[in-house]
Amino acid sequence: MRTTTKGLERLRAFLQERRRILVLTHNDPDPDALAAAYGVSRLLRAYRRRGQHIVPAFGGLLARAENREMVRVLRLRFRHVDRLDLDEFDGIVLVDTQPGVGNHALPEERLPEVVIDHHPRLRSTGRALWADVRPSYGATSTIVAEYVAAAGLPWDERLATALFYGIRTDTLGLARGATEQDAAMYLTLHAHVNRQALARIERAPLPRRYFRALAKALEQATIYHNVVILDLGEMDRPDLGAEMADLFLRLERTEWVISLGIYEATLIVSVRTNTADPKAGHLVRRAVGRRGRAGGHGTMAAGRILLDHRDPDEECRRLRHRFLELLGLANVRGRPLLGR
Ligand SMILES: [Mn+2]
């Protein structure tokens, strides 16, 4: 709590000297990223003076049906970073990611002044004016909600529902990597949630292309003991692999799902696990190595390899083999999920 009080002071001091502030989250944002960025924007707006602008933004795609519905139902007004000129901002708050991660739209040389995140702390983050990084937390939304509470702002339904859903998805309803703080905030927010809105978001209408992608994933899913590998080929959106990996982790006796897919000449890897001692981030970093970028938590992680002129099929094969090797399954023959 002391960090939060101090953070709130720092945030207000930072706001004092700026005119246009960008609140940026990572590319292809998930509900935690959206909620946390929205929460920070609301917080800054509560303190802003005349002539100050607070602009929440993300890069990449808002693709997953639930996330689109969240933005629509809760009327979260985000800008796309491609349509903004970064030079017009004299202050940047980076949310649910950090400067050196490479999954957001900030160029390397543009350091954000404020960083609020729950991923493992990176060295470059220390150069921000204020960095509040709490890797033990299950969601950045929890940290932001603590700021809102410390500021004494009233909970309205949009803000409470967004932050609640952010914590809910990042921690699987407090079942995954949640701390006492996540649980406490989840319960506080629950009292203010708009339940109809939440139900609409969680049961968002799914487009036909979702079912087409699902059919393809089912067709080629391969089981190696307790590991499922999905080779999705060309994907029509970058976060499809993560969504499919979440789903396939529910296959009985499955402890790991690794999805590989291509989006805009980039090989995107998503890893999910439910093992007791989860090291998904570690695994994906080792598998991807210097060929690309990778990171994540214990139970969920991701990586990207720019294909340049490399053959996508060959690169997928190589990576699949590397994962199996790291998981001690190099000599196991895969069986198709739908085979007998
Ligand atoms: Mn998060």
Side-chain angles (χ1 to χ4, degrees), residues 34-300:
L34 292 166
Y38 175 64
V40 169
S41 307
R42 290 285 304 270
L43 188 66
L44 291 174
R45 277 183 190 146
Y47 292 125
R48 87 174 141 189
R49 286 171 288 113
R50 247 161 177 267
Q52 282 183 309
H53 296 277
I54 319 290
V55 180
F58 64 79
L61 268 176
L62 189 67
R64 199 166 176 148
E66 291 86 338
N67 304 358
R68 297 176 74 94
E69 195 71 353
M70 174 189 185
V71 165
R72 197 185 68 79
V73 169
L74 301 177
R75 287 177 287 121
L76 311 183
R77 285 194 199 90
F78 275 85
R79 300 288 303 276
H80 195 282
V81 74
D82 287 354
R83 264 168 258 142
L84 298 171
D85 180 0
L86 289 184
D87 293 337
E88 284 181 8
F89 294 90
D90 56 358
I92 295 181
V93 183
L94 198 58
V95 182
D96 199 42
T97 180
Q98 294 175 51
V101 179
N103 66 346
H104 56 74
L106 279 193
E108 302 243 342
E109 67 279 4
R110 179 61 170 98
L111 210 66
E113 285 76 18
V114 178
V115 178
I116 301 176
D117 187 26
H118 72 130
H119 294 90
R121 192 186 175 99
L122 297 176
R123 201 182 306 146
S124 55
T125 300
R127 284 160 45 209
L129 280 179
W130 173 247
D132 189 344
V133 178
R134 310 185 198 180
S136 67
Y137 275 47
T140 302
S141 292
T142 304
I143 307 173
V144 173
E146 287 186 7
Y147 275 78
V148 174
L153 296 183
W155 291 116
D156 63 66
E157 283 187 351
R158 289 165 68 208
L159 186 54
T161 307
L163 291 167
F164 178 84
Y165 188 58
I167 302 173
R168 184 172 170 90
T169 50
D170 254 31
T171 68
L172 288 181
L174 299 181
R176 175 179 71 190
T179 57
E180 249 174 72
Q181 290 86 347
D182 295 302
M185 196 44 83
Y186 193 75
L187 295 180
T188 301
L189 293 169
H190 187 260
H192 305 278
V193 162
N194 179 328
R195 297 194 184 125
Q196 277 70 41
L198 185 64
R200 280 219 297 282
I201 294 165
E202 293 193 314
R203 301 189 59 80
L206 295 164
R208 279 182 68 185
R209 65 183 142 68
Y210 170 86
F211 292 94
R212 276 199 294 269
L214 177 61
K216 188 170 165 194
L218 285 165
E219 260 323 303
Q220 52 64 55
T222 314
I223 304 173
Y224 302 80
H225 281 320
N226 58 345
V227 178
V228 174
I229 296 193
L230 305 173
D231 214 327
L232 301 173
E234 208 55 62
M235 302 186 291
D236 66 1
R237 57 187 171 92
D239 61 346
L240 183 73
E243 183 166 3
M244 290 298 146
D246 278 335
L247 177 64
F248 281 76
L249 194 57
R250 290 180 59 186
L251 176 68
E252 58 185 359
R253 289 189 288 276
T254 298
E255 294 192 279
W256 291 91
V257 180
I258 293 150
S259 86
L260 309 171
I262 314 290
Y263 182 78
E264 289 183 346
T266 306
L267 169 52
I268 300 182
V269 193
S270 292
V271 177
R272 295 289 186 272
T273 182
N274 54 22
T275 48
D277 178 25
K279 291 197 174 99
H282 182 71
L283 180 76
V284 74
R285 272 193 296 275
R286 285 195 61 190
V288 168
R290 297 221 179 111
R291 301 175 85 85
R293 287 175 177 269
H297 308 266
T299 55
M300 49 203 292

Side-chain angles (χ1 to χ4, degrees), residues 264-267 291 305-315:
E264 289 183 346
T266 306
L267 169 52
R291 301 175 85 85
I305 297 175
L306 225 56
L307 287 170
D308 283 328
H309 299 293
R310 281 176 280 194
D311 175 39
D313 295 338
E314 179 52 38
E315 202 63 24

